[in-house]
Amino acid sequence: MIVALIIACEVGFWVLLALGLAVRYLLKRRRTSVVLLLCEPVLELVLFVVTAIDLKNGAEPSWEHGLAALYIGFTVAYGHYTIRWLDGHAAHRLGGAPKPVGPPRYGMPRARHEGRLWLRTLLAAAVACALLQGAVWYVGGSGDVSSLRSFQGAALRTAGIHGLVALAYLIWPKKAPAGTEDGQRFTSPKESARR
């Protein structure tokens, strides 16, 4: 049941996001779109409550509960970032706004970008671990909580691996190709001649 609810929450996230952006840019109803986008956190709240009720009703803690905690942690950390990113692209495609600037590709600006993404992953892991620890305390010594503990380890390993990737960008920053300025888009000689 929990897995089906996680899938429903993920589908609901994308449906609400698509509806919110369509209402904002196609129907020009900004307030309605804000209301739709503010419904996104309700999905995570429903998942959290149903998971807690499932454990309260005596369900054995399992990988499904761990997956629910990881999903909630990821959505808390990356949900707003994803919405903002897609909003920029929808504004460009549907609202006539300029094309959104992508992340930097080279040097220290890229390392800072990767560091900020790692902080989001760290937040996701912290939220997931806190929820899982709450579930461990809730179940107490009466149940097998090894699956919940293993998901805590998975969240911490994910944050650690992402931290190593971000650190690699800092230690070995990627150099911009010749003809670019601080990681800006490469301009070929033909394009330069046209300008």
Side-chain angles (χ1 to χ4, degrees), residues 78 81 103-104 108-122 162 166:
Y78 281 95
Y81 177 82
M108 291 312 289
R110 180 60 185 221
R112 281 190 293 276
H113 173 73
E114 290 297 328
R116 286 189 296 271
L117 288 180
W118 174 71
L119 289 175
R120 288 184 181 281
T121 300
L122 198 59
H162 192 178

CSV table of all heavy atoms in Angstrom, one decimal, residues 78 81 103-104 108-122 162 166:
chain,number,residue,atom,x,y,z
A,78,TYR,N,14.6,18.9,-2.8
A,78,TYR,CA,14.7,19.3,-4.2
A,78,TYR,C,13.3,19.7,-4.9
A,78,TYR,O,13.3,20.1,-6.0
A,78,TYR,CB,15.2,18.0,-5.0
A,78,TYR,CG,16.7,17.9,-4.9
A,78,TYR,CD1,17.2,17.0,-4.0
A,78,TYR,CD2,17.5,18.5,-5.8
A,78,TYR,CE1,18.6,16.9,-3.9
A,78,TYR,CE2,18.9,18.4,-5.7
A,78,TYR,CZ,19.4,17.6,-4.7
A,78,TYR,OH,20.8,17.4,-4.6
A,81,TYR,N,13.3,23.5,-5.8
A,81,TYR,CA,14.3,23.6,-6.8
A,81,TYR,C,13.8,23.2,-8.2
A,81,TYR,O,14.0,23.8,-9.2
A,81,TYR,CB,15.6,22.9,-6.4
A,81,TYR,CG,16.7,22.9,-7.4
A,81,TYR,CD1,17.6,24.0,-7.5
A,81,TYR,CD2,17.0,21.8,-8.3
A,81,TYR,CE1,18.6,24.0,-8.4
A,81,TYR,CE2,18.0,21.8,-9.2
A,81,TYR,CZ,18.8,22.9,-9.3
A,81,TYR,OH,19.9,23.0,-10.1
A,103,PRO,N,23.2,26.0,-15.5
A,103,PRO,CA,24.2,26.0,-14.5
A,103,PRO,C,25.6,26.2,-15.1
A,103,PRO,O,25.8,25.9,-16.3
A,103,PRO,CB,24.1,24.6,-13.8
A,103,PRO,CG,23.5,23.7,-14.8
A,103,PRO,CD,22.6,24.6,-15.6
A,104,PRO,N,26.5,26.8,-14.4
A,104,PRO,CA,27.8,27.0,-14.9
A,104,PRO,C,28.4,25.6,-15.2
A,104,PRO,O,28.1,24.6,-14.6
A,104,PRO,CB,28.6,27.7,-13.8
A,104,PRO,CG,27.8,27.6,-12.6
A,104,PRO,CD,26.4,27.3,-13.0
A,108,MET,N,35.4,27.3,-10.9
A,108,MET,CA,34.9,27.5,-9.5
A,108,MET,C,33.3,27.7,-9.5
A,108,MET,O,32.7,27.3,-8.6
A,108,MET,CB,35.6,28.6,-8.8
A,108,MET,CG,37.0,28.2,-8.5
A,108,MET,SD,37.2,26.6,-7.7
A,108,MET,CE,36.5,26.9,-6.1
A,109,PRO,N,32.8,28.5,-10.5
A,109,PRO,CA,31.3,28.6,-10.5
A,109,PRO,C,30.6,27.2,-10.5
A,109,PRO,O,29.6,27.0,-9.9
A,109,PRO,CB,31.0,29.4,-11.8
A,109,PRO,CG,32.3,30.2,-12.0
A,109,PRO,CD,33.4,29.3,-11.6
A,110,ARG,N,31.2,26.3,-11.3
A,110,ARG,CA,30.6,24.9,-11.3
A,110,ARG,C,30.8,24.2,-10.0
A,110,ARG,O,29.9,23.5,-9.5
A,110,ARG,CB,31.2,24.1,-12.5
A,110,ARG,CG,30.7,22.7,-12.6
A,110,ARG,CD,29.2,22.7,-12.8
A,110,ARG,NE,28.6,21.4,-12.8
A,110,ARG,CZ,27.7,20.9,-13.7
A,110,ARG,NH1,27.3,21.7,-14.6
A,110,ARG,NH2,27.3,19.7,-13.6
A,111,ALA,N,31.9,24.4,-9.4
A,111,ALA,CA,32.2,23.8,-8.1
A,111,ALA,C,31.2,24.3,-7.0
A,111,ALA,O,30.7,23.6,-6.2
A,111,ALA,CB,33.6,24.1,-7.6
A,112,ARG,N,30.9,25.7,-7.1
A,112,ARG,CA,29.9,26.2,-6.1
A,112,ARG,C,28.5,25.7,-6.4
A,112,ARG,O,27.8,25.4,-5.5
A,112,ARG,CB,29.9,27.8,-6.2
A,112,ARG,CG,31.1,28.4,-5.5
A,112,ARG,CD,30.9,29.9,-5.4
A,112,ARG,NE,31.0,30.6,-6.7
A,112,ARG,CZ,32.1,30.9,-7.3
A,112,ARG,NH1,33.3,30.7,-6.8
A,112,ARG,NH2,32.1,31.5,-8.5
A,113,HIS,N,28.2,25.5,-7.7
A,113,HIS,CA,26.9,25.0,-8.0
A,113,HIS,C,26.8,23.5,-7.5
A,113,HIS,O,25.7,23.2,-6.9
A,113,HIS,CB,26.7,25.0,-9.6
A,113,HIS,CG,25.5,24.3,-10.0
A,113,HIS,ND1,24.2,24.8,-9.9
A,113,HIS,CD2,25.4,23.1,-10.6
A,113,HIS,CE1,23.4,23.9,-10.4
A,113,HIS,NE2,24.0,22.9,-10.8
A,114,GLU,N,27.8,22.7,-7.7
A,114,GLU,CA,27.8,21.4,-7.2
A,114,GLU,C,27.7,21.3,-5.7
A,114,GLU,O,27.1,20.5,-5.1
A,114,GLU,CB,29.0,20.6,-7.7
A,114,GLU,CG,29.0,20.3,-9.2
A,114,GLU,CD,27.8,19.4,-9.6
A,114,GLU,OE1,27.4,18.5,-8.8
A,114,GLU,OE2,27.3,19.6,-10.7
A,115,GLY,N,28.4,22.3,-5.0
A,115,GLY,CA,28.3,22.4,-3.6
A,115,GLY,C,26.9,22.7,-3.1
A,115,GLY,O,26.5,22.1,-2.1
A,116,ARG,N,26.2,23.6,-3.8
A,116,ARG,CA,24.9,23.9,-3.4
A,116,ARG,C,23.9,22.7,-3.6
A,116,ARG,O,23.1,22.4,-2.8
A,116,ARG,CB,24.4,25.1,-4.2
A,116,ARG,CG,24.9,26.4,-3.7
A,116,ARG,CD,24.3,27.6,-4.3
A,116,ARG,NE,24.4,27.7,-5.8
A,116,ARG,CZ,25.4,28.3,-6.4
A,116,ARG,NH1,26.4,28.9,-5.7
A,116,ARG,NH2,25.5,28.3,-7.7
A,117,LEU,N,24.1,21.9,-4.7
A,117,LEU,CA,23.3,20.7,-4.9
A,117,LEU,C,23.6,19.7,-3.8
A,117,LEU,O,22.7,19.0,-3.3
A,117,LEU,CB,23.6,20.1,-6.3
A,117,LEU,CG,23.1,20.9,-7.4
A,117,LEU,CD1,23.4,20.2,-8.7
A,117,LEU,CD2,21.6,21.1,-7.4
A,118,TRP,N,24.9,19.6,-3.4
A,118,TRP,CA,25.2,18.7,-2.3
A,118,TRP,C,24.5,19.0,-1.0
A,118,TRP,O,24.1,18.2,-0.3
A,118,TRP,CB,26.7,18.6,-2.1
A,118,TRP,CG,27.1,17.7,-0.9
A,118,TRP,CD1,27.0,16.4,-0.9
A,118,TRP,CD2,27.6,18.2,0.3
A,118,TRP,NE1,27.4,16.0,0.4
A,118,TRP,CE2,27.7,17.0,1.1
A,118,TRP,CE3,27.9,19.4,0.8
A,118,TRP,CZ2,28.2,17.1,2.4
A,118,TRP,CZ3,28.4,19.5,2.1
A,118,TRP,CH2,28.5,18.4,2.9
A,119,LEU,N,24.5,20.4,-0.7
A,119,LEU,CA,23.8,20.8,0.5
A,119,LEU,C,22.3,20.4,0.4
A,119,LEU,O,21.7,20.0,1.5
A,119,LEU,CB,23.9,22.3,0.7
A,119,LEU,CG,25.3,22.8,1.1
A,119,LEU,CD1,25.3,24.3,1.1
A,119,LEU,CD2,25.7,22.2,2.4
A,120,ARG,N,21.7,20.4,-0.8
A,120,ARG,CA,20.3,19.9,-0.9
A,120,ARG,C,20.2,18.4,-0.6
A,120,ARG,O,19.3,17.9,0.1
A,120,ARG,CB,19.8,20.2,-2.3
A,120,ARG,CG,19.5,21.7,-2.5
A,120,ARG,CD,18.9,21.9,-3.9
A,120,ARG,NE,18.6,23.3,-4.1
A,120,ARG,CZ,17.6,23.9,-3.6
A,120,ARG,NH1,16.7,23.3,-2.9
A,120,ARG,NH2,17.4,25.2,-3.8
A,121,THR,N,21.2,17.7,-1.1
A,121,THR,CA,21.2,16.2,-0.9
A,121,THR,C,21.5,15.9,0.6
A,121,THR,O,20.8,15.0,1.2
A,121,THR,CB,22.3,15.5,-1.7
A,121,THR,OG1,22.1,15.8,-3.1
A,121,THR,CG2,22.4,14.1,-1.4
A,122,LEU,N,22.3,16.8,1.3
A,122,LEU,CA,22.5,16.6,2.7
A,122,LEU,C,21.2,16.9,3.5
A,122,LEU,O,20.9,16.2,4.4
A,122,LEU,CB,23.6,17.6,3.1
A,122,LEU,CG,24.3,17.4,4.5
A,122,LEU,CD1,24.9,16.0,4.5
A,122,LEU,CD2,25.3,18.4,4.7
A,162,HIS,N,27.7,11.9,-3.0
A,162,HIS,CA,27.4,13.2,-3.7
A,162,HIS,C,28.4,14.2,-3.1
A,162,HIS,O,28.9,15.1,-3.9
A,162,HIS,CB,26.0,13.6,-3.4
A,162,HIS,CG,25.6,14.8,-4.3
A,162,HIS,ND1,24.4,15.3,-4.4
A,162,HIS,CD2,26.3,15.5,-5.3
A,162,HIS,CE1,24.3,16.3,-5.2
A,162,HIS,NE2,25.5,16.4,-5.8
A,166,ALA,N,31.0,16.5,-5.4
A,166,ALA,CA,31.1,17.9,-5.3
A,166,ALA,C,32.5,18.3,-4.9
A,166,ALA,O,33.0,19.3,-5.5
A,166,ALA,CB,30.1,18.4,-4.2
